[in-house]
Amino acid sequence: MLKPIPFIDLASQRDRLRSGIDRRIAAIFDSCAFIMGPDVRELEERLCSFSGVAHTLSCSSGTDALALPLMAWGIGPGDAVFVPSFTFAATAEVVAWLGATPVFIDVHEDTFNMDPASLQAAIGEVEREGKLRPRAVIAVDLFGQIADYPAIKPICEKHHLKLISDAAQGFGSTLDGKMANAWADVVTTSFYPAKPLGCYGDGGAIQTDDAELAKVMESLRVHGGGTDRYDNVRIGMNGRMDTIQAAVLLEKLTVFPEEIELRQAVADRYASGLGDVVKTQRVIGGAQSTWAQYTVTLSSQRDAFMTAMKGKGVPTVIYYGKPLHRQTAYSAFPRSGGTLPVCDRLSEIVVSLPMYPYLDNETQDYIIQSVRQSLDEIHARA
Ligand SMILES: *Cc1c(COP(=O)(O)O)cnc(C)c1O
């Protein structure tokens, strides 16, 4: 009997990094610099060199990281922000927070990322209708794969739209060796524990080469501060990161590049063990995914498949069972072309398998064998 298989294993990495993390946290206890302490500044510097970007602002979550640039650009009522519908709610939520309108875009069937043709169509529709002012695009690096920025960026430039990369899942993913900041005005990420680069609570970061924008976001991050902390020049938020999270991330960042390679090896083994029985997420040429999720599509009977897997002790999860344009809170917002057939279809056929850098070969072989057996059982019954 194998030990229980987690969907995401955080314990192996914790054990590996424990002594370094303990040391850093003990130093924070000694200094009592719990908020925005020296580890926070160090993390921001290290993240700048990791990504080759001029400015990194740590913050309280990946959601706040998305809100801050929109706030800094003054996006609000009457503005349209184009977002994929096949994503986590936060991508569209921040747009609605500010009174602006999320406009939902379809995704590509094989890559699951924003479809540039659907984006182009939606911008045209909004412009023709003349009710909303197109302002920005938020592309998502879904399941770890960098979006198709070489196709999206020229569309943004042509229509004078700001481009945000929501890299909550794909922070560190590259295309031809370049990270999303090579195309996006702003890259945001989340350090929620289950993300490829996660802390031990909530956290996030924003990266940009725009010095003026960074200054405004820095002010907004702490209540719109001006010359000092009790001078308020704009309406901001409490978006700070706490020092303990920065300490955890500093230790994790030292192994992050190696972990991306380990995740790639796991993805490669899944592809060779399952490529003939399920369709896997296509990675575009020249891209390196961070493999936040390993997601496959099934031709039918997803529920039966998940039940069979559960019976063999293998957890599976659906990301995402309902695209945002079908969610109660978001169903009234506009969609490119009125319908998003690919998002609708994917939500019915995707399922994600256990994925983490420390997934050992023996366990993975058991998962692969379980997938094959579950599919066989379903076909035999049909
Ligand atoms: C997790 C996630 C977020 C939000 O991050 P939090 O840190 O949980 O606020 C935003 N966008 C995407 C695509 C995510 O996966």
Side-chain angles (χ1 to χ4, degrees):
M1 184 68 191
L2 285 155
K3 60 181 187 317
I5 300 171
F7 183 69
I8 290 181
D9 167 31
L10 298 177
S12 303
Q13 185 206 49
R14 177 206 57 204
D15 294 345
R16 178 180 177 187
L17 301 176
R18 182 166 230 152
S19 62
I21 291 173
D22 280 351
R23 255 198 311 278
R24 279 189 181 268
I25 291 178
I28 296 167
F29 277 32
D30 289 342
S31 71
C32 290
F34 294 119
I35 293 279
M36 302 290 275
D39 286 353
V40 174
R41 298 272 171 262
E42 188 183 341
L43 175 69
E44 290 176 339
E45 281 161 25
R46 294 268 280 277
L47 289 171
C48 280
S49 27
F50 177 79
S51 303
V53 73
H55 306 276
T56 300
L57 271 83
S58 61
C59 66
S60 40
S61 72
T63 307
D64 289 344
L66 284 166
L68 283 163
L70 299 179
M71 290 167 76
W73 289 322
I75 286 176
D79 291 336
V81 178
F82 302 88
V83 300
S85 176
F86 195 58
T87 179
F88 183 65
T91 313
E93 185 178 38
V94 291
V95 178
W97 272 3
L98 300 173
T101 303
V103 178
F104 290 116
I105 306 301
D106 214 348
V107 296
H108 200 278
E109 207 176 330
D110 300 320
T111 66
F112 310 157
N113 275 335
M114 180 180 269
D115 179 351
S118 176
L119 171 64
Q120 180 68 70
I123 296 169
E125 285 157 20
V126 169
E127 284 179 346
R128 273 192 301 283
E129 210 180 330
K131 287 191 191 137
L132 297 170
R133 196 157 64 111
R135 292 291 305 277
V137 172
I138 306 178
V140 176
D141 301 338
L142 201 74
F143 304 148
Q145 173 172 212
I146 191 161
D148 189 359
Y149 294 113
I152 293 169
K153 180 66 175 173
I155 298 173
C156 294
E157 278 174 344
K158 185 169 154 212
H159 297 273
H160 310 288
L161 306 177
K162 299 290 187 188
L163 176 57
I164 296 178
S165 161
D166 178 352
Q169 302 175 15
F171 184 69
S173 71
T174 56
L175 182 59
D176 298 328
K178 289 182 282 196
M179 293 188 196
N181 61 280
W183 296 274
D185 298 291
V186 172
V187 176
T188 68
T189 194
S190 162
F191 300 125
Y192 179 77
K195 310 285 180 179
L197 182 61
C199 56
Y200 290 161
D202 277 308
I206 308 159
Q207 299 192 307
T208 185
D209 284 321
D210 182 337
E212 193 50 42
L213 177 70
K215 234 169 77 187
V216 177
M217 293 193 297
E218 196 170 351
S219 158
L220 289 167
R221 177 176 63 178
V222 188
H223 305 296
T227 49
D228 70 61
R229 102 161 73 166
Y230 300 109
D231 175 33
N232 306 106
V233 297
R234 21 180 104 73
I235 311 286
M237 61 158 78
N238 173 2
R240 295 175 300 230
M241 169 177 275
D242 72 71
T243 317
I244 290 177
Q245 302 312 331
V248 170
L249 287 163
L250 278 165
E251 291 302 312
K252 289 202 183 194
L253 199 54
T254 63
V255 297
F256 187 47
E258 180 198 333
E259 287 182 345
I260 295 175
E261 284 174 31
L262 291 170
R263 285 175 183 273
Q264 182 60 50
V266 172
D268 288 343
R269 282 184 105 247
Y270 271 141
S272 64
L274 295 172
D276 58 327
V277 289
V278 290
K279 210 175 138 202
T280 60
Q281 181 184 17
R282 184 169 71 82
V283 175
I284 55 178
Q288 169 67 63
S289 175
T290 57
W291 296 106
Q293 304 295 346
Y294 193 83
T295 303
V296 301
T297 60
L298 304 171
S299 47
S300 66
Q301 304 232 47
R302 181 174 59 185
D303 290 348
F305 172 78
M306 292 177 75
T307 305
M309 290 291 280
K310 195 173 171 199
K312 299 176 201 309
V314 182
T316 56
V317 179
I318 299 171
Y319 294 111
Y320 294 93
K322 232 189 211 188
L324 292 185
H325 71 281
R326 298 268 171 214
Q327 298 280 0
T328 310
Y330 297 96
S331 59
F333 292 116
R335 315 151 183 196
S336 177
T339 72
L340 306 177
V342 182
C343 292
D344 283 335
R345 174 149 172 76
L346 284 177
S347 66
E348 286 166 7
I349 60 173
V350 287
V351 65
S352 301
L353 304 176
M355 164 55 84
Y356 36 91
Y358 306 98
L359 184 58
D360 62 83
N361 288 351
E362 188 195 357
T363 307
Q364 195 180 6
D365 286 342
Y366 178 78
I367 297 169
I368 289 169
Q369 182 200 328
S370 301
V371 171
R372 301 189 73 93
Q373 277 174 4
S374 299
L375 292 170
D376 283 346
E377 286 161 26
I378 293 164
H379 293 149
R381 251 182 282 146

